[in-house]
Amino acid sequence: MTNREYLEIEKLVDVIIDNRGKTVPTSEFGIPLIATNCIKHSSIYPTFENIRFIDKNVYDTWFRAHLESNDIIFVNKGTPGRCCLVPDPVSFVAAQDMVGLRFKKHLNPYYMLAVLRSKEIQTTIENNHVGLVIAHLRKQELVKLKLPILDEHTRNKIGDIYEVISNKIELNNKINAKLEATAKMLYDYWFVQFDFPGADGKPYKSSGGEMVYNEVLKREIPKGWDVKKLNALTSFLSRGISPKYTYENKGIPVLNQKCIREYGLKYQFQRRHDNVAKNAVNRLIKKYDVLVNSTGVGTLGRVALVRWLIENEVTVDSHVTIVRAIPENINIVFFGYSLLTKQREIEGFANGSTGQVELNRSQLSDINLLIPQANFQTNFEEFYNPIIEKVSINEKQNYELASLRDWLLPMLMNGQVTVKDTYEMVEEKLGMAAEQEVKYVR
DNA sequence: CTGGTCGTGCTTCGCGTGCT
DNA sequence: AGCACGCGAAGCACGACCAG
């Protein structure tokens, strides 16, 4: 059993950077200003979603103090307790509703982040916030919050493990983003600009390949290409089941709207359906299906390509539509990717209503898809399939690493598992010695 | 069972106000 | 000045429900 004591945050920090309580003047360009929605536990650093900007003058004069790298940004309001690390270099400012915690030098920032994010501390925060409408952890409560502090050696080891796992996840995400960007570039080049390699090997359209006006699209497309409606290409267009949920580890995964994010599946939001009813059996998703978020003004139309299945049998709930192409009519990989590029158009189906909106399936079936000659579809598949495989491996690894991290940390904190055992478990998941990985990451 | 629609409540947001 | 705190609205998700 390791030594541990609980110490109040005010005894652990050098300074708290606090710019709450007033509204920072924003401008159109300049230094990114993040809000609380950018602080998420799925990433160690803040994301840059819906950010605003401030100008240099405001940066120099408005703030009481600025964040430094390795500070921890802590959200006080909305969802109190969410926290992230400040990266190096610091590429943004943070204003309302959060504070920066600068822990004393001997406290490993990754250890502190792990502690703050732990179930134990998150639960304590949950039980101590106030606010009938908006949850709010008062600063006076925050500074009195007691954190478990183990001996320095153990702290550093736990920090290292948290760092390695988190960085590996970040790295995998970055690799995946690059891989997908490559696919997008090729797709645009071939199927939007029509500069696929022509018969002479030169870019088709740029080197004068023959174009034909298409009545349906009202623009020119390469000669020999076709335009077909979605319903002429698909065999299956259906929403999922109304599941009865269970929290046991039985039944099959049911994906909901939350799982459809950034053109892919976020399996961490899955729930489970406890009886594999007949209606679920014929609504199991398959690799290369496209899932469409089918309700909600702001979420309708989000699409995802099924790149991998977490279990053999996975279904979706009644707010997600499964779209499946007929392989005889179109290359299903090409089809899947093409439909992803239609997200904007599908989102447009949510227009014109102030209340609830639902996916209009006749509109969906009516979407026109450009159909290149079969060999180009196959060429795209040959290019994109290896990307799908690599992306899937990384996503699977991230899923496992995140689960492992969340499972391990409380046990490490309690001394129920040793650092040495942990290294071995992490190593197994990473396929690389964890201690070596620590060095590699740094 | 299919193919949806409806009502509701939770979450998150911007933009402050007013007390100490 | 600094901080606690909340309004109003929009976003979001989901279970209940319904007609054929």
Side-chain angles (χ1 to χ4, degrees), chain A residues 171-173 175-180 182 287 307-308 382-398:
Chain A
L171 184 65
N172 282 345
N173 285 339
I175 292 169
N176 283 359
K178 277 209 175 131
L179 288 167
E180 291 293 348
T182 315
K287 194 172 173 181
R307 295 179 176 83
W308 59 283
E382 280 166 11
F383 179 81
Y384 191 46
N385 237 341
I387 290 180
I388 290 182
E389 296 312 315
K390 281 182 203 155
V391 166
S392 298
I393 288 167
N394 288 340
E395 284 186 352
K396 269 182 227 173
Q397 188 180 50
N398 280 2

Side-chain angles (χ1 to χ4, degrees), chain A residues 72 148 161 177 189 300:
Chain A
I72 289 176
I161 288 163
Y189 193 58
L300 186 150

Side-chain angles (χ1 to χ4, degrees), chain A residues 295-297 353-358:
Chain A
T295 74
V297 176
S353 172
T354 50
Q356 295 295 113
V357 293
E358 305 291 331

Side-chain angles (χ1 to χ4, degrees), chain A residues 17 25 129 192 210 326 352 422:
Chain A
I17 294 90
H129 68 230
V192 179
E210 192 179 349
I326 305 169
T422 304

Side-chain angles (χ1 to χ4, degrees), chain A residues 4 119 405-416:
Chain A
R4 79 203 238 130
K119 188 126 198 163
R405 181 183 62 191
D406 297 342
W407 178 77
L408 268 176
L409 273 173
M411 304 222 292
L412 274 167
M413 299 296 299
N414 292 331
Q416 285 172 286

Side-chain angles (χ1 to χ4, degrees), chain A residues 141-156:
Chain A
E141 304 288 338
L142 173 63
V143 296
K144 296 289 179 196
L145 189 66
K146 288 183 171 178
L147 303 181
I149 302 300
L150 307 180
D151 66 87
E152 182 154 14
H153 178 258
T154 311
R155 285 202 308 269
N156 286 335

Side-chain angles (χ1 to χ4, degrees), chain A residues 80-133:
Chain A
R82 279 195 314 209
C83 48
C84 276
L85 211 56
V86 178
D88 184 16
V90 189
S91 49
F92 57 86
V93 294
Q96 286 267 38
D97 306 329
M98 43 191 156
V99 295
L101 304 173
R102 186 166 305 152
F103 287 102
K104 291 179 190 294
K105 281 281 171 289
H106 65 283
L107 296 166
N108 182 313
Y110 289 92
Y111 172 80
M112 298 315 294
L113 187 67
V115 165
L116 284 169
R117 286 180 172 187
S118 69
K119 188 126 198 163
E120 180 193 355
I121 299 304
Q122 290 289 312
T123 306
T124 309
I125 293 168
E126 179 104 354
N127 294 335
N128 283 288
H129 68 230
V130 296
L132 293 173
V133 181

